[in-house]
Amino acid sequence: MSKTMNRWLVGLCVAALGAVYADRPNVIMIFADDLGPEMLGCYGQKIVKTPHIDRLAAEGIKFTNYYGGTFCAPSRWTLLTGMHDGRMGGWKQTQAGLPIERDAGRITEEEYRKRMEEIKASADPITPNEVMLGQIGQQAGYKTAQVGKLDRGFLTWHERVKRHGWDHYVGYYDHVRCHGYYPPYLWRNGERFELEGNPLSNCGKMSEEGNEPVGSGGKTYSQNIFIEEVLRYIRENKDHPFFLYHPTQLPHGPVAIPELHPDFADDPRLSLSEKKYASMVKMLDDHVGLIMAELKKQGLDDKTLVFFASDNGHATYYNHGNESLNTLFAKQLKPDGTKTNLTDDKWRLSEFEDVFNGAGGRAGQKRSGFQGGIQCPLIVRWPGKIKAGGATALLSAHYDFMATIADVMGVPVPKGKDSISYLPTLLGQEQRQKHDYVIVGTRMRTMGSGAVIDKDGWKVIEVGPAHKPSYQLYNILKDNNEYYNLEDQHPEKTEALANILKREIDSERPDLVAGPNP
């Protein structure tokens, strides 16, 4: 074949590929960590201004009946698998913290390698026919990347991240190391790279009280590495469709920030830890602004579908008095030392001393099956496709993201997934396929356990000890803050939903027995 003919065929293939990709946008998912909806201005935050995230909502659509998990690892599992986290494996995370043991000199390199092999051998297996989130993009011909808090939790490694479908990645393998913002090293595509001025094996993890001096812990802040990587990836892949998943650490605590934001440095309403926390939320918003500005700069603004969500409900890694609100929640104590309960005096940030009101009056917070622990923000922007300034109460969850982007990218939704595409709602079309209910499964019992929410707004939550559980009933469309347990008024509804919850917890994975996937 002549060189001229060869160049002609290559040009024809490129043109054909361009036609195929013409109507398919780039996809970016920004996944915040422990961010309650009310920490965003568009959901009601008063102290911390979040103009860039608010602009996403003003130019897109905001979800008001959207659910994650109770805790970081299972919530990421449900996003990456397209299954609700009550399914088998949803709470089977690897043991974390081993790299810190090695880095601190508490175990030898030989012991580290031995124990790491044991962790790999005992990890929940990924079967050959299982389709993970990143693979959706790969099947559609997208370039795929993950930047930040890698994997579904808690400890991962190169081969496992690649199996999830990520062509390129940068971040933490270990979620315990993520609790510090000054890691001595991170990972890029299986290669370790060092960070300047970060000597601490625990990555500069702060105390629960968060009273350490601003900027302590190290010199190189992990989130600055991540935003630089995200922006570089956008620039380098502007001529090919890409799927970029950015699971950021922000604003997970303990609180740490290189410097206080000017908005809060002299705010008399805030303690030092609250100033740090507010600055972390502000940095998250600023980073969203940098991403959107880069899209515009590269001519990709109208060609990119941007999602913003958080893994679970609000978490209080800051304190207003002598003890952190997170510690009080774990003990189920009010600031005056009195005990709360699960009936008429639930643990609510709005009734304590949370200056931010990050849970917005909801009962519970992260690790709770009440609304404060599982209801999450979701904002989606796609210029020219999604009508600006919209809001929807469509019942949806993290596991719906897989089917949604499969629809967007033009590939089949994998068989047997719990995921339902909400693309029709995004486009202002009739949402014909809807959930009868969504499931949030949890093995934590700090304040309530697993929950089921149905399409009519009825919610059953399991409470009490594991050996003798009981169930409460709420209508979250009328009582989202869960003040009124309606179990006695509607025993049949309580029993019906409780039976669904019991059936779904530790249930089989239909996607693994549904036959070969594409």
Side-chain angles (χ1 to χ4, degrees), residues 24-81:
R24 292 192 284 170
N26 304 308
V27 176
I28 297 177
M29 164 59 95
I30 304 167
F31 204 58
D33 200 336
D34 290 358
L35 184 79
E38 267 70 19
M39 286 309 304
L40 303 174
C42 56
Y43 283 93
Q45 175 57 211
K46 302 300 182 184
I47 293 178
V48 185
K49 306 300 182 186
T50 54
H52 301 294
I53 299 172
D54 294 350
R55 186 173 180 180
L56 291 181
E59 297 176 349
I61 188 170
K62 177 178 69 173
F63 283 60
T64 60
N65 194 23
Y66 182 77
Y67 295 88
T70 63
F71 188 56
C72 67
S75 69
R76 292 157 201 276
W77 184 92
T78 189
L79 183 84
L80 297 179
T81 63

Side-chain angles (χ1 to χ4, degrees), residues 125-260:
I126 304 174
T127 61
N129 67 322
E130 180 172 0
V131 178
M132 306 294 289
L133 182 64
Q135 292 180 281
I136 298 295
Q138 290 178 330
Q139 291 173 6
Y142 280 55
K143 292 184 177 181
T144 64
Q146 182 180 22
V147 178
K149 192 172 182 178
L150 302 174
D151 206 65
R152 56 189 184 179
F154 285 115
L155 177 61
T156 193
W157 51 93
H158 173 68
E159 293 80 10
R160 196 166 174 89
V161 179
K162 297 296 285 186
R163 174 60 182 85
H164 288 173
W166 306 113
D167 301 323
H168 173 77
Y169 70 84
V170 173
Y172 289 86
Y173 281 162
D174 188 334
H175 282 203
V176 171
R177 294 183 77 243
C178 293
H179 295 170
Y181 285 80
Y182 296 95
Y185 59 88
L186 292 169
W187 295 91
R188 178 185 289 111
N189 300 327
E191 298 293 327
R192 170 174 159 168
F193 64 97
E194 311 300 313
L195 272 61
E196 181 185 359
N198 294 353
L200 301 177
S201 60
N202 69 350
C203 305
K205 180 179 179 179
M206 302 295 150
S207 68
E208 187 73 18
E209 289 73 25
N211 293 322
E212 292 85 356
V214 174
S216 58
K219 181 178 179 181
T220 305
Y221 195 70
S222 56
Q223 291 304 125
N224 288 331
I225 299 296
F226 295 151
I227 190 60
E228 290 170 4
E229 178 66 25
V230 166
L231 300 179
R232 184 198 62 77
Y233 188 84
I234 292 171
R235 289 192 295 270
E236 293 184 357
N237 293 279
K238 64 180 180 179
D239 296 324
H240 191 283
F242 62 80
F243 171 29
L244 174 60
Y245 170 45
H246 177 33
T248 172
Q249 290 167 274
L250 293 168
H252 192 296
V255 291
I257 196 76
E259 58 185 3
L260 295 180

Side-chain angles (χ1 to χ4, degrees), residues 376-412:
C376 301
L378 174 64
I379 300 166
V380 192
R381 177 187 183 270
W382 188 5
K385 299 289 186 178
I386 296 176
K387 185 178 179 181
T392 178
L394 177 72
L395 179 63
S396 46
H398 284 341
Y399 50 90
D400 295 325
F401 182 58
M402 177 179 283
T404 302
I405 65 165
D407 272 2
V408 167
M409 294 176 179
V411 297

